[in-house]
Amino acid sequence: MSISGAGAVAPREFPANGGGLCQKGWTSAALLDSPARLTTPLIRTGGELREANWDDALDLVAERITDLQAAHGADSVAVFGGGGLTNEKSYLLGKFARVALGTSQIDYNGRFCMSSAAAAGTKAFGVDRGMPFPMTDLAQADVVVLVGANPAETMPPFLRHLRGAAAKGGLVVVDPRRSATAQQASLHLAPAPGTDLALALGVLHATVAEGLLDDDYVTRRTAGFDDAWRAAAAYWPEHVERITGVAAADQRRLAHLLARARNAYVLTARGAEQHATGVDTVSAWINVALAHGLPGRRGSGYGCLTGQGNGQGGREHGQKADQLPGYRKLTDPAAREHVARVWGVDPADLPGPGRSAAELLDALGEPGGPRALLVFGSNVVVSAPRSRRVADRLGSLDLLVTADLVLSETSAMADVVLPVTQWAEEDGTMTNLEGRVLLRRKAVDPPEGVRSDLDVLAGLARRLGQPEGRFPAHAETVFGELRAASAGGPADYAGVTYDRLRAGEALYWPVPHVEHSGTPRMFLDAFAHDDGRARFVSVVHTGPAERPDETFPLYATTGRVLQHYQSGAQTRAVPDLVGAVPEAYVEVHPDTAARAGVREGEQAVVESRRGRVTARVRCKPTLRPDVVFVPFHFPGAQRANLITNPALDPTSRMPEFKVCAARLVPVVESGKDGAA
């Protein structure tokens, strides 16, 4: 994408998108000079946010942090980051938390997006890279299985890579809804929400029982199959049909499609991950891919579709509670020593792992929890689970600071708001879902008075007593330090330089030295475990943490719409986008709507045990009668996360956004019989 003139966006030919942009891309320049842009720091005075200068704002933040930590310890101050931050910002934010603040309390909103797939991928392959192959490889596939993904609305240019499989009758979509993507599928499997794991077990059972297992691959390249099969043996397709609603014949059909394909891919996304059993669910689908010999074979594989602008890079460089740059573990003594040496500090001074994102937000203002929070690149009041509780916890803090482009719902609650640059106004790198490092160059100057997040962190670090130069504000300088910190780690950027990126080199990590050409296809010779083998993981289906009952008889699930992104704070400031979808809605089967006493176009209420969402009814005859769907981009009484279940996956700490027990009622009846 490039910027020409005053706010005109033009696509560029690029392998990932083929020169295509979605509606959000075409309209993205509208935010550059939007009236909603913040252009001066704000400080809360007398209960209201008032304009201030930068020195006063940063001085106040540093003073309050110093006082709080002196009285309550280093962990009294927390940091919350975002998967849309550049690699440089993610890296410097993690360093700032652990060095300038000395706090263990840092996590980010990627915990709500890709963490389950990251954990499952690491278990199976020894390392997590969303797609361990170039996206363009998909074009040659005979079969592509999309599990819990709707790229027709979330990233439309991606669909061009699926045309080949669709033309061959091999595009398979697993989704409770007949989404825009499912409408293009050769085979649409619509399991009940929360049963994707059982469906994968049924497909694995069919694979083995019908003699479709790739025995040679399993023997040569994997470990753990026997345990995984013992678990899957109890999930014959007819049994799985009773759990999921997906016909046994369709489960067998999918197993045969994968077995017959010369080239095939299994791709998972948020629909598989955002569950209290998300890691196990992704592991189950990886098991299916391994059973058919797909990962580590040229032209086939398993991959995860990332959900944020820098979803891959944002999870690699240290803004996660248990992580150091280069995808190193914070608990690894060798990793601590390496990174501490780059940072010029004592490894013993680095704090240990802190709370995960949902647990961090839940602990704010509680005894023993953080009393201050610095938020970069996230709007937790809308995007986090238990959003009413999150707003309450933010309101209890002694200090809330946000770095933001617009006055989001979270920034509107802050004590200090710092206006920062956005995508076209700064240099920086991103890492796309293929693991390719991309250089995003500055195209226009930011509004006067706006600073970059790197400037903010550098300014605060100096005020907190850090040596001059320890926190550089120049993106290329920060990236040079990131290269050194990541060197030798799983996500090794040591050989990536701005000069190489400017020259147009396609560099996929790991790139261990400057003569190295990168690694577009991982695992062709060996997986990243010590023995070189991929791991089957034994899993069983337990179902969603909360099931429908007489009081709440429906499954509620959440997701995106084409015109909006994440919490909607930015896209709701773009007239064309908000004009197209101005408010939340609830998709429901016409029969379900009739039973609830609501009609197409009316306002209705979706209730769960935690709260209620008000939304306009859209009747969809293709939707399962036991499901309602609510998009999550809207604020206030339309927040989907007022009703979602905050139950966490025990490994990834991912909340169960994708399924909760709910009911649909007319507005006048809401609030009865136990809804919070």
Side-chain angles (χ1 to χ4, degrees), residues 396-432:
S396 74
L397 290 171
D398 295 323
L399 177 66
L400 174 61
V401 180
T402 63
D404 219 333
L405 314 177
V406 296
L407 195 67
S408 69
E409 287 72 25
T410 304
S411 290
M413 298 185 64
D415 299 295
V416 180
V417 182
L418 305 172
V420 291
T421 51
Q422 58 173 304
W423 61 279
E425 300 165 350
E426 59 187 8
D427 290 330
T429 60
M430 316 282 277
T431 304
N432 73 358

Side-chain angles (χ1 to χ4, degrees), residues 97 242 275 357 428 445 467 508 622-623:
R242 292 193 290 273
H275 297 275
D445 290 328
Y508 302 76
T622 58
L623 195 65

Side-chain angles (χ1 to χ4, degrees), residues 498-539:
Y498 269 41
D499 283 343
R500 295 185 73 182
L501 296 176
R502 289 186 189 106
E505 290 192 58
L507 298 175
Y508 302 76
W509 68 256
V511 190
H513 53 79
V514 292
E515 286 79 29
H516 195 280
S517 59
T519 313
R521 296 173 184 85
M522 302 180 76
F523 313 139
L524 295 179
D525 299 316
F527 294 97
H529 291 296
D530 289 342
D531 61 3
R533 293 173 175 266
R535 300 287 191 268
F536 281 89
V537 176
S538 176
V539 294

Side-chain angles (χ1 to χ4, degrees), residues 320-600:
K320 194 162 166 271
D322 56 355
Q323 195 184 88
L324 288 170
Y327 233 140
R328 287 184 160 92
K329 293 183 182 299
L330 186 55
T331 53
D332 178 1
R336 293 170 65 88
E337 182 177 352
H338 173 86
V339 174
R341 184 167 58 250
V342 173
W343 288 350
V345 299
D346 188 331
D349 292 337
L350 296 179
R355 297 175 174 92
S356 72
E359 292 161 309
L360 173 58
L361 295 172
D362 192 58
L364 296 175
E366 296 285 7
R371 304 173 73 98
L373 180 67
L374 281 63
V375 181
F376 290 77
S378 191
N379 183 17
V380 294
V381 169
V382 176
S383 63
R386 299 182 72 188
S387 58
R388 193 185 306 279
R389 161 80 178 175
V390 169
D392 176 71
R393 291 299 81 217
L394 293 177
S396 74
L397 290 171
D398 295 323
L399 177 66
L400 174 61
V401 180
T402 63
D404 219 333
L405 314 177
V406 296
L407 195 67
S408 69
E409 287 72 25
T410 304
S411 290
M413 298 185 64
D415 299 295
V416 180
V417 182
L418 305 172
V420 291
T421 51
Q422 58 173 304
W423 61 279
E425 300 165 350
E426 59 187 8
D427 290 330
T429 60
M430 316 282 277
T431 304
N432 73 358
L433 70 169
E434 315 161 292
R436 179 175 175 176
V437 185
L438 308 172
L439 179 61
R440 190 176 70 184
R441 304 190 201 188
K442 178 180 175 180
V444 297
D445 290 328
E448 186 177 353
V450 172
R451 298 186 182 182
S452 76
D453 300 82
L454 300 179
D455 282 314
V456 170
L457 293 171
L460 285 175
R462 288 194 300 272
R463 287 167 170 82
L464 292 170
Q466 291 297 306
E468 189 71 31
R470 177 170 282 174
F471 286 85
H474 182 245
E476 188 167 359
T477 303
V478 175
F479 189 78
E481 189 178 303
L482 179 157
R483 293 173 55 213
S486 73
D492 191 336
Y493 284 42
V496 183
T497 68
Y498 269 41
D499 283 343
R500 295 185 73 182
L501 296 176
R502 289 186 189 106
E505 290 192 58
L507 298 175
Y508 302 76
W509 68 256
V511 190
H513 53 79
V514 292
E515 286 79 29
H516 195 280
S517 59
T519 313
R521 296 173 184 85
M522 302 180 76
F523 313 139
L524 295 179
D525 299 316
F527 294 97
H529 291 296
D530 289 342
D531 61 3
R533 293 173 175 266
R535 300 287 191 268
F536 281 89
V537 176
S538 176
V539 294
V540 296
H541 170 72
T542 58
E546 181 180 75
R547 300 171 186 269
D549 56 23
E550 290 185 2
T551 306
F552 298 97
L554 303 173
Y555 294 101
T557 190
T558 67
R560 301 186 188 187
V561 301
L562 173 64
Q563 290 81 7
H564 290 293
Y565 181 70
Q566 303 301 80
S567 73
Q570 296 179 46
T571 53
R572 284 186 278 108
V574 177
D576 286 351
L577 300 180
V578 77
V581 184
E583 61 181 357
Y585 57 86
V586 52
E587 285 186 0
V588 59
H589 191 279
D591 293 345
T592 308
R595 284 194 298 271
V598 300
R599 298 178 181 178
E600 172 81 23

